[in-house]
Amino acid sequence: MKLHAPRTYRLRRRALGLVSLLFKVAMVIFFLFPFYWMITTAFKTYGESIQFPPTLWPETFTPEAFADVWQRIDIPRYFKNSLLVALGVVVLQALFNIPAAYGFARYEFKGKKWMWALVMLAFMIPTQITFVPVYILFSKAKLLGTLWPQILPFAANAYGIFLMRQSFLQVPDELVEAARMDNASEMRILVRIMLPMCRSSIITAELFSFISTWNSYFWPLVMTNSDKVRPLTLAMQRLQDAHQGLEWPVLMAANSLLVLPVLLLFLLLSRQILSSFGYRGIK
């Protein structure tokens, strides 16, 4: 009986490993198939895109849908607007979120608990509630014809402050105290100790902000009044409305162009994202 126990254990372990592998493969297929379908449909002809049963690979591989998108909308202008807005939000959030998170993590000051409660309260306030007052504010400032209404309201982000604060709290106090004993300034401690050790969390927070801003639709729809400052998401929606949602290759080509920058960023920084949710520190 004792001789069969190790063999039974190995068989059970292999069976569990196989089940785990099959589950992982199924999840990968589940999440990647929509992207696969979007890209392959973009290279199909219109006739093939509406035929039933659908084809999993284009019978006639053609890039005409991408050329059609490029001709119908001014991709460079809309892409530039989206990029400037997303980068502007990321830069401003880095300037505001990092010092705020460092202060909440490493300092004790009067009203700290109330201020932190306000940051947490921001999680529960829907963005839609702020549409009207912010619109009126920027309208009176005569900034609706610029990119600022899409950037300034997101200069600080509650989630980013929370994530960075939790990361800063994981840095051992001994390192900070040792740096202070060496007469290091708070700015030097932040730049030379905190930022390198919490790099993954900072990159993750900034990446989430970039993705959220890049994919934003309702906010720029409300805050813009001309195509000169509208982002790529509004251009894609206008293209869909023009085609009444029927020309699937054109729509999928447009969505592929919209998703591509975000997808590339996510693939490049996926390791940083995973490591940001783990514990960092030394004993």
Side-chain angles (χ1 to χ4, degrees):
M1 194 72 181
K2 293 181 179 180
L3 295 176
H4 293 287
R7 183 178 180 183
T8 303
Y9 174 76
R10 288 196 300 269
L11 291 176
R12 183 180 302 175
R13 187 175 180 180
R14 290 177 181 176
L16 291 175
L18 180 60
V19 172
S20 176
L21 178 62
L22 291 176
F23 177 77
K24 293 175 183 178
V25 171
M27 293 301 295
V28 169
I29 294 175
F30 178 79
F31 284 105
L32 291 184
F33 184 76
F35 293 99
Y36 170 81
W37 185 259
M38 175 183 66
I39 295 173
T40 54
T41 303
F43 288 99
K44 293 179 181 179
T45 61
Y46 173 73
E48 186 179 357
S49 68
I50 61 174
Q51 75 179 29
F52 186 84
T55 57
L56 293 178
W57 186 257
E59 295 177 355
T60 304
F61 199 90
T62 174
E64 291 182 2
F66 289 93
D68 195 3
V69 171
W70 198 272
Q71 291 176 358
R72 298 190 185 191
I73 60 177
D74 191 354
I75 293 292
R77 181 180 63 188
Y78 290 111
F79 184 89
K80 181 191 70 174
N81 292 338
S82 292
L83 188 62
L84 289 176
V85 170
L87 290 179
V89 170
V90 167
V91 171
L92 287 179
Q93 287 191 7
L95 294 176
F96 288 102
N97 289 356
I98 293 175
Y102 181 68
F104 280 120
R106 293 295 171 177
Y107 284 95
E108 293 295 333
F109 51 89
K110 187 177 180 179
K112 176 181 176 180
K113 292 183 179 180
W114 288 103
M115 293 180 67
W116 182 246
L118 290 176
V119 173
M120 294 295 97
L121 184 64
F123 281 119
M124 296 177 282
I125 300 178
T127 308
Q128 291 78 4
I129 294 179
T130 64
F131 278 175
V132 174
V134 174
Y135 179 87
I136 294 175
L137 176 65
F138 282 106
S139 177
K140 291 183 177 180
K142 298 182 180 180
L143 293 174
L144 292 179
T146 67
L147 296 176
W148 291 115
Q150 303 176 62
I151 299 174
L152 291 181
F154 305 99
N157 178 267
Y159 174 76
I161 295 175
F162 172 79
L163 183 62
M164 294 179 193
R165 172 185 176 270
Q166 298 304 110
S167 184
F168 288 152
L169 287 174
Q170 293 181 14
V171 178
D173 294 334
E174 292 80 2
L175 290 177
V176 179
E177 293 301 326
R180 287 172 178 166
M181 290 179 64
D182 290 336
N183 295 323
S185 64
E186 293 299 322
M187 180 61 68
R188 187 176 181 86
I189 293 174
L190 177 62
V191 174
R192 301 298 294 272
I193 297 178
M194 292 296 185
L195 295 187
M197 295 193 67
C198 304
R199 180 180 59 183
S200 297
S201 296
I202 295 172
I203 291 177
T204 300
E206 296 300 311
L207 177 61
F208 286 170
S209 295
F210 182 91
I211 293 175
S212 176
T213 306
W214 183 271
N215 293 330
S216 179
Y217 173 76
F218 287 106
W219 188 269
L221 178 65
V222 174
M223 297 297 162
T224 58
N225 55 13
S226 69
D227 290 338
K228 183 177 67 174
V229 294
R230 282 175 178 150
L232 198 57
T233 49
L234 295 185
M236 298 308 174
Q237 184 61 41
R238 178 172 297 181
L239 186 65
Q240 180 177 350
D241 295 339
H243 291 287
Q244 299 181 353
L246 297 177
E247 293 192 25
W248 296 113
V250 175
L251 297 179
M252 292 302 176
N255 286 317
S256 297
L257 294 174
L258 180 64
V259 170
L260 184 60
V262 173
L263 186 60
L264 291 176
L265 275 177
F266 183 82
L267 293 176
L268 290 173
L269 301 175
S270 59
R271 182 176 299 180
Q272 301 288 342
I273 296 174
L274 293 176
S275 63
S276 68
F277 294 99
Y279 177 79
R280 288 168 304 280
I282 60 175
K283 295 182 180 180

